[in-house]
Amino acid sequence: MKSFYHNLSALILLIPSGAVLAQAPLVTNVIPAANARAAARTGLVMATFSQPLTSASAAALKVFSNQRGGLRTTAAPAVVSGNTLSFMPAPYAFLPGETVHATITTAAASAEGALATPRVLQFTTAVGGTGSGNFEMRSRVPAAASNIVLGDIDGDGDLDAVGPNELNAATILLNDGMGNFAAPPTNATVATGGSPYGLALGDIDGDGDLDCVTANASQTSTGGSSSVRFNNGSGVFTAPTVGAEVPVPVFQRTLVLADLDGDGDLDLLTGGSIRLNNGAGLFTAPVANAEITGVARDASGFAVGDVDGDGDLDMTITDFTNTSGKVNILFNNGAAVFAVRPTVPSPAVGPYATTLGDVDGDGDLDLLVIYMTRTGNNVSLFLNNGTGVFGNERVILLGSPFWSNRNLALGDLDADGDLDLLLPLNDRVSVMLNNGAGMFSSPAATVMVSAGFSHVAVTSGDLDADGDLDFVGYAVGYITTCVNQPITLASAAANAAPAFSMYPNPARDVVTVSGVAPRATLEVLDALGRLVATATANATGTAQLTLSAAWAPGVYVVQSEGRVQRLVVE
């Protein structure tokens, strides 16, 4: 034993003074910052490390565009310079307002070792142009689809439209560069599995174009499926010889393509099922935790993003059959293993869809939820405290009498650097502008865009290549293109009807309602959607509501011709 300690002491004496054990590199900074909402379209995507990197580390940075070019580091690989690993968007810039995903894999290494944990982040690019959030209809074309996804599928630089339809196919509509869509003369549909309901575009095989994956609503004897179709770069999609249909336990309604395990390719998340990509577009179930426990198998709406700031992608998910008024938050351990932890409480029931975005500009992802209720659809905003705990509910739209706003879209519609809101409401799409701190303008005070009928989906993008965000709305059998115009909403509002308002509110006896259309009928609904009272406005658009003893204290909805306000009775 004495000899052992003697030898150990001699070894310690041989270690130079001040020497430390070898340490793997750490990521010390990323540009743009995670969840940035107005990143430069031509700016570097860059990671800075604690140590100089090896030249082979260039392969560690993967940058994915969700609208043009897919895996952008295929055509223009990242470069290493000392402690930095960076990608310059080339040969073209990112598109305005698109979401870009970046992964720093464990292939990043220094002479001391490899990065221990991958880093996954996403950001939104800046919007320019002259559009101010005032939209006009450009075109309406027939389309057999249940929703629409935008992406440059034929490599010509503009955004095309792809949508799933119930005829076991996906519908292709090409853009002429000005926002006018038409079916191509050939390959106008892509055969898929049974009754596709959801669709996503993404570069799943890493060849620099956007492929197509659908979530199929048909249930088979063995469960459900997702269909994988590869793009040849010209907008022609074909099924791979292996892995064309990805089995899942039950039919699915929605899906997301994102790097869930940090290995630099896009994985598949559909409902509560995880299927990992081998890098070539072949999806297989992981050995463990392939199915997420605690969520509905046919969950109707979910969103993916790093809600707790730990460098991987988490998930928010709803279950429309769950009337408890909660949205589950699932945290990723970095290896695509999700655990249900906190839930988002709310007095509303029937959560249907969720969207994530940094609406208050504090660097973390906030949560918007659509609730489908007896009185219509409610939309609420929950602010993130930076750790994935959501609270401070703000009701954005209460008791809309329309049932068709089943999704919403966030984007910088007026080019002021924050995320605004597009919300389909039957025959119109409501434009709600953000003040930069997550306070959205009332739909009654914004331009209501007539864009068809029975809209159930809306998605934004620069359709006419002028630098600002336009949008496509889907109606039953049609898609409608609306382009952004340079007329300010403030100018338009000056000629609009006065704001729909009530005074006093809260109230006990008599309420004066103003801003209603002349001679219009008002309806008052209780919290269960039951008609409590009606009234008729006079020639100046004013009416009075007399509260009777039969009105129990609580919250009521007052609506007239699509305009809605909440009334609190004391």
Side-chain angles (χ1 to χ4, degrees), residues 385-442:
N385 72 349
T387 66
V389 176
F390 295 92
N392 300 318
E393 180 188 16
R394 298 176 183 174
V395 177
I396 297 176
L397 186 68
L398 178 71
S400 163
F402 307 109
W403 284 81
S404 65
N405 51 328
R406 298 184 180 183
N407 90 313
L408 48 81
L410 289 173
D412 187 0
L413 306 177
D414 52 359
D416 63 352
D418 55 41
L419 299 178
D420 307 304
L421 178 61
L422 287 170
L423 185 66
L425 299 171
N426 267 12
D427 62 345
R428 301 184 177 198
V429 173
S430 176
V431 180
M432 304 173 72
L433 298 183
N434 189 349
N435 72 347
M439 300 297 293
F440 292 93
S441 60
S442 167

Side-chain angles (χ1 to χ4, degrees), residues 34-35 37 122 303-309 315-316 327 329 344 353-369 380-394 396 408 410 418-419 434 436-440:
N35 306 322
R37 54 186 187 174
Q122 61 186 32
V304 170
D306 184 4
V307 300
D308 55 358
M315 174 174 57
T316 62
V327 179
I329 312 298
V344 177
T354 63
T355 297
L356 291 168
D358 181 12
V359 300
D360 57 357
D362 62 355
D364 54 43
L365 294 176
D366 306 302
L367 173 66
L368 291 101
V369 183
S380 290
L381 165 66
F382 299 88
L383 298 180
N384 190 347
N385 72 349
T387 66
V389 176
F390 295 92
N392 300 318
E393 180 188 16
R394 298 176 183 174
I396 297 176
L408 48 81
L410 289 173
D418 55 41
L419 299 178
N434 189 349
M439 300 297 293
F440 292 93

Side-chain angles (χ1 to χ4, degrees), residues 233-412:
S234 301
V236 177
F237 295 89
T238 56
T241 55
V242 179
E245 306 301 322
V246 182
V248 291
V250 299
F251 76 90
Q252 306 294 338
R253 297 179 181 177
T254 51
L255 76 164
V256 167
L257 294 172
D259 188 359
L260 305 177
D261 55 0
D263 64 351
D265 52 42
L266 299 180
D267 306 304
L268 173 63
L269 177 62
T270 176
S273 299
I274 296 170
R275 299 295 181 262
L276 298 181
N277 190 346
N278 71 344
L282 177 63
F283 295 98
T284 56
V287 174
N289 304 295
E291 312 302 327
I292 303 172
T293 58
V295 301
R297 308 309 312 150
D298 60 344
S300 58
F302 56 88
V304 170
D306 184 4
V307 300
D308 55 358
D310 63 351
D312 53 43
L313 298 181
D314 311 301
M315 174 174 57
T316 62
I317 190 166
T318 66
D319 173 9
F320 183 56
T321 63
N322 176 8
T323 57
S324 65
K326 294 181 179 180
V327 179
N328 288 316
I329 312 298
L330 290 87
F331 289 87
N332 189 349
N333 73 347
V337 177
F338 290 87
V340 180
R341 295 184 189 172
T343 57
V344 177
S346 172
V349 297
Y352 186 85
T354 63
T355 297
L356 291 168
D358 181 12
V359 300
D360 57 357
D362 62 355
D364 54 43
L365 294 176
D366 306 302
L367 173 66
L368 291 101
V369 183
I370 294 177
Y371 296 92
M372 297 184 71
T373 70
R374 290 181 179 274
T375 57
N377 290 3
N378 300 335
V379 180
S380 290
L381 165 66
F382 299 88
L383 298 180
N384 190 347
N385 72 349
T387 66
V389 176
F390 295 92
N392 300 318
E393 180 188 16
R394 298 176 183 174
V395 177
I396 297 176
L397 186 68
L398 178 71
S400 163
F402 307 109
W403 284 81
S404 65
N405 51 328
R406 298 184 180 183
N407 90 313
L408 48 81
L410 289 173
D412 187 0

Side-chain angles (χ1 to χ4, degrees), residues 144-233:
S146 58
N147 61 70
I148 291 297
V149 178
L150 296 175
D152 179 15
I153 63 171
D154 56 358
D156 63 354
D158 54 44
L159 291 177
D160 308 302
V162 185
N165 67 58
E166 296 181 357
L167 302 177
N168 303 341
T171 298
I172 305 295
L173 295 170
L174 299 183
N175 189 347
D176 67 353
M178 295 300 295
N180 301 303
F181 291 95
T186 59
N187 302 295
T189 61
V190 181
T192 68
S195 300
Y197 191 90
L199 184 145
L201 295 176
D203 188 359
I204 59 176
D205 55 359
D207 62 353
D209 54 41
L210 298 177
D211 307 303
C212 175
V213 183
T214 63
N216 303 324
S218 289
Q219 180 79 19
T220 68
S221 59
T222 58
S225 70
S226 289
S227 297
V228 174
R229 301 296 182 262
F230 288 159
N231 189 348
N232 71 349

Side-chain angles (χ1 to χ4, degrees), residues 39-201:
R41 293 174 52 207
T42 58
L44 283 172
V45 179
M46 183 169 67
T48 303
F49 292 78
S50 58
Q51 300 169 6
L53 301 178
T54 64
S55 59
S57 298
L61 179 59
K62 308 291 185 181
V63 179
F64 289 88
S65 165
N66 74 334
Q67 288 193 336
R68 185 186 183 194
L71 181 58
R72 296 293 304 272
T73 44
T74 296
V79 297
V80 172
S81 177
N83 291 45
T84 64
L85 176 60
S86 63
F87 163 76
M88 175 66 75
Y92 47 82
F94 296 123
L95 293 184
E98 72 168 320
T99 299
V100 177
H101 297 262
T103 298
I104 307 162
T105 73
T106 55
S110 70
E112 306 297 334
L115 181 68
T117 305
R119 176 81 67 91
V120 182
L121 63 105
Q122 61 186 32
F123 57 87
T124 301
T125 56
V127 171
T130 59
S132 61
N134 179 55
F135 294 88
E136 70 175 23
M137 187 186 301
R138 169 64 54 84
S139 64
R140 183 188 300 163
V141 297
S146 58
N147 61 70
I148 291 297
V149 178
L150 296 175
D152 179 15
I153 63 171
D154 56 358
D156 63 354
D158 54 44
L159 291 177
D160 308 302
V162 185
N165 67 58
E166 296 181 357
L167 302 177
N168 303 341
T171 298
I172 305 295
L173 295 170
L174 299 183
N175 189 347
D176 67 353
M178 295 300 295
N180 301 303
F181 291 95
T186 59
N187 302 295
T189 61
V190 181
T192 68
S195 300
Y197 191 90
L199 184 145
L201 295 176

Side-chain angles (χ1 to χ4, degrees), residues 464-542:
D464 53 2
D466 62 354
D468 52 40
L469 286 184
D470 313 299
F471 74 82
V472 169
Y474 168 74
V476 178
Y478 293 88
I479 67 166
T480 303
T481 301
C482 291
V483 294
N484 207 339
Q485 299 297 306
I487 303 172
T488 63
L489 284 173
S491 300
N495 298 319
F500 183 23
S501 62
M502 293 180 290
Y503 183 82
N505 189 8
R508 296 180 180 178
D509 302 307
V510 178
V511 178
T512 299
V513 184
S514 58
V516 183
R519 311 299 182 188
T521 299
L522 291 83
E523 295 181 332
V524 182
L525 307 176
D526 66 11
L528 296 178
R530 297 174 297 192
L531 183 65
V532 174
T534 62
T536 302
N538 60 23
T540 64
T542 301

